[in-house]
Amino acid sequence: MHAPAALRDTVADVVQHTPVYDIHTHLYDPAFGELLLWGVDDLLIYHYLIAESFRQFDMPYDKFWSMTKTQQADAIWQALFIDHSPISEACRGVLTALNALGLDVKKRDLPALRQHFAKWKVDDFITRCMELANVRQICMTNSPFDDLERPVWERGFTRDPRFVAALRIDPLLLDWPNTAPKLRDWGYDVNVDFSSRTFDEVRRFLGDWTKKINAQYCMVSLTPDFTFPAHTDTAQLIQHAIMPHGREYNQAFALMIGVRRNVNPRLRLAGDSLGKADVTAVENLCVEYPDNKFLCTMLSRENQHELCIAARKFRNLHIFGCWWFMNNPSLIEEITRMRLELIGLSMTPQHSDCRVLDQLVYKWQHSRGILGKVLADKYEDLAATGWEPTRAEIERDVRDLFGGALERFLRS
Ligand code: REL
Ligand code: ZN
């Protein structure tokens, strides 16, 4: 039997020591070379920090974009770390990562931090970051439409077992008029007006890439105005290609809903925003296609409660992560608590969305701290009824939250 303090310690310990399957990142197998970002300069020029820096900079946008990576990192360091205290979550994250990697941040000496990274070989650095973050596997985001990425898949390479793939298809679903000609170039007999064999050929394309990359699931990000059913290209393609493909290959379809791309184009990758979406589109998919599986995360705080209720109604819906603008301690805590209260352990509370390898360390350290606190409260409430959770039960539950439940859902 646990005294309350001992129960909290057990939960914290289990949460720290259970390896996690990070189910959505923008990291790459080292075979992709420079696409895998790491080191202090990439940490500093993360698009979250670029957006925050422009709130302090008075330089013109173009001037920043004309600078080298080192100069951009210097400018961000100066604006966000030296001229002001680095309090925001993205700034704090840089310091958590550097500190965990054993670097001395006290001196505020960026050149010295750079020297430390120069010593690492990428393969050892992957191992170190995964150890520190206690991540057992990393799911990439893999787009056949990315001109840097596609040739690597086409050439073929020996896969690093630490990295698994997810098939990302935004251009297919969001920009059909420009994507159809590409598919034609690649040998798929499709027509922009969807005539003839188009849907079958899109399915053939999806099948080829699913096999080529051994995709764990197929995914897209969608704007807040996504509706289903609808007479849009997106909805037609989902209905006639993605859904049958999902059933044929037992592939879940991951929907990341609520992004408004390029709201400020001058900020480039940092210029995306969000909007409240319509959860009935997700419900309609789930009810219409009970033999398909859906993963879903939403970007607006205002959607989180409705999405949780949708998951109560549909067992073919698995919700995951506190995505991007949701990935802040106060919101993670609120959302995780709500999900545990509404759907218990049948969800995946977090993914990292890392773009830079070192971020694994901070994203998981911060999320683990919050999850440990929220879970401890929940087990304490149980203990108060006489239902004392055992360590083995806590371990089982945390394994589920850290990827186990998702893996079962994907296999089912
Ligand atoms: O997968 C996505 O669409 C997003 O997560 C990214 O586009 C976004 O830039 C990412 O860095 C957010 O965390
Ligand atoms: Zn992402």
Side-chain angles (χ1 to χ4, degrees):
M1 185 183 299
H2 281 102
L7 175 59
R8 295 197 83 84
D9 288 349
T10 303
V11 175
D13 193 59
V14 171
V15 168
Q16 283 314 317
H17 291 104
T18 305
V20 70
Y21 168 25
D22 194 342
I23 65 163
H24 171 61
T25 75
H26 299 266
L27 302 176
Y28 289 90
D29 183 309
F32 288 86
E34 299 203 332
L35 288 184
L36 174 60
L37 305 178
W38 60 285
V40 68
D41 287 329
D42 279 311
L43 276 177
L44 287 170
I45 63 164
Y46 187 30
H47 68 82
Y48 291 30
L49 291 181
I50 292 179
E52 291 170 31
S53 296
F54 270 101
R55 302 193 52 73
Q56 304 293 354
F57 290 161
D58 48 22
M59 74 173 96
Y61 290 98
D62 286 346
K63 169 142 193 249
F64 179 80
W65 295 119
S66 70
M67 290 165 138
T68 64
K69 177 162 142 181
T70 316
Q71 289 168 334
Q72 290 178 346
D74 282 340
I76 291 174
W77 177 258
Q78 187 64 37
L80 295 183
F81 291 76
I82 304 300
D83 294 345
H84 306 88
S85 290
I87 281 184
S88 75
E89 175 64 6
C91 285
R92 171 191 167 218
V94 173
L95 300 179
T96 301
L98 295 175
N99 181 45
L101 285 160
L103 278 76
D104 182 4
V105 295
K106 270 196 297 298
K107 296 198 191 91
R108 290 141 166 82
D109 183 352
L110 182 54
L113 297 172
R114 284 191 177 116
Q115 272 168 25
H116 170 91
F117 283 93
K119 294 192 290 242
W120 280 99
K121 289 213 171 39
V122 67
D123 207 58
D124 299 335
F125 196 62
I126 297 172
T127 307
R128 185 69 189 130
C129 288
M130 289 180 78
E131 257 167 28
L132 284 171
N134 199 6
V135 168
R136 65 180 160 91
Q137 200 150 46
I138 295 171
C139 191
M140 308 178 271
T141 297
N142 302 104
S143 173
F145 302 100
D146 183 316
D147 293 336
L148 297 175
E149 184 174 348
R150 191 180 54 258
V152 182
W153 289 112
E154 277 167 348
R155 261 198 317 276
F157 59 94
T158 307
R159 297 282 297 264
D160 182 323
R162 296 172 291 187
F163 293 81
V164 293
L167 179 59
R168 180 78 177 236
I169 54 165
D170 290 23
L172 178 71
L173 291 187
L174 306 179
D175 190 16
W176 173 246
N178 290 310
T179 302
K182 282 194 185 149
L183 260 56
R184 286 197 76 84
D185 284 352
W186 297 338
Y188 298 93
D189 184 14
V190 299
N191 296 312
V192 183
D193 63 4
F194 295 128
S195 58
S196 177
R197 307 196 300 143
T198 297
F199 292 122
D200 286 345
E201 285 291 277
V202 173
R203 283 178 63 179
R204 188 164 70 83
F205 166 78
L206 294 169
D208 288 348
W209 276 92
T210 299
K211 287 181 283 190
K212 192 189 287 292
I213 71 175
N214 188 19
Q216 305 301 298
Y217 54 85
C218 174
M219 72 187 310
V220 69
S221 73
L222 296 161
T223 52
D225 57 11
F226 171 65
T227 48
F228 190 92
H231 293 292
T232 57
D233 292 349
T234 309
Q236 298 305 305
L237 283 156
I238 291 177
Q239 182 176 344
H240 299 292
I242 310 293
M243 292 298 100
H245 163 76
R247 290 191 297 274
E248 185 181 347
Y249 284 84
N250 194 24
Q251 287 271 300
F253 184 39
L255 305 147
M256 305 181 77
I257 310 176
V259 59
R260 287 162 58 228
R261 299 276 179 204
N262 242 350
V263 166
N264 182 355
R266 292 181 191 88
L267 281 175
R268 302 198 182 172
L269 185 59
D272 299 343
S273 188
L274 58 66
K276 184 178 186 297
D278 184 0
V279 176
T280 48
V282 179
E283 291 174 342
N284 291 342
L285 282 165
C286 292
V287 77
E288 190 68 27
Y289 302 105
D291 297 328
N292 280 88
K293 293 180 279 191
F294 300 91
L295 305 176
C296 189
T297 194
M298 295 184 83
L299 200 47
S300 158
R301 182 186 188 183
E302 285 64 36
N303 279 129
Q304 303 303 326
H305 185 241
E306 279 173 272
L307 181 62
C308 228
I309 307 305
R312 282 180 73 86
K313 305 299 138 190
F314 296 102
R315 63 180 177 174
N316 57 341
L317 173 61
H318 186 99
I319 63 177
F320 72 96
C322 297
W323 180 24
W324 198 347
F325 307 117
M326 295 297 98
N327 196 22
N328 294 302
S330 59
L331 297 174
I332 300 170
E333 178 163 347
E334 167 187 305
I335 295 166
T336 305
R337 229 174 250 288
M338 179 174 67
R339 288 172 172 173
L340 287 170
E341 287 164 8
L342 280 164
I343 51 173
L345 299 156
S346 63
M347 51 97 181
T348 301
Q350 253 318 22
H351 67 270
S352 76
D353 235 310
C354 287
R355 282 182 178 268
V356 184
L357 189 57
D358 331 28
Q359 290 169 341
L360 282 176
V361 179
Y362 97 72
K363 300 247 185 183
W364 285 109
Q365 200 181 109
H366 293 186
S367 289
R368 274 195 162 89
I370 300 162
L371 184 67
K373 186 161 78 175
V374 174
L375 267 184
D377 289 349
K378 295 299 163 201
Y379 288 122
E380 243 173 35
D381 291 346
L382 294 187
T385 72
W387 186 280
E388 293 268 353
T390 65
R391 183 171 179 114
E393 287 169 341
I394 297 170
E395 285 170 351
R396 173 203 59 198
D397 296 348
V398 174
R399 272 198 305 275
D400 274 354
L401 292 172
F402 280 178
L406 180 98
E407 285 170 317
R408 251 195 331 275
F409 179 79
L410 294 181
R411 273 197 309 268
S412 67

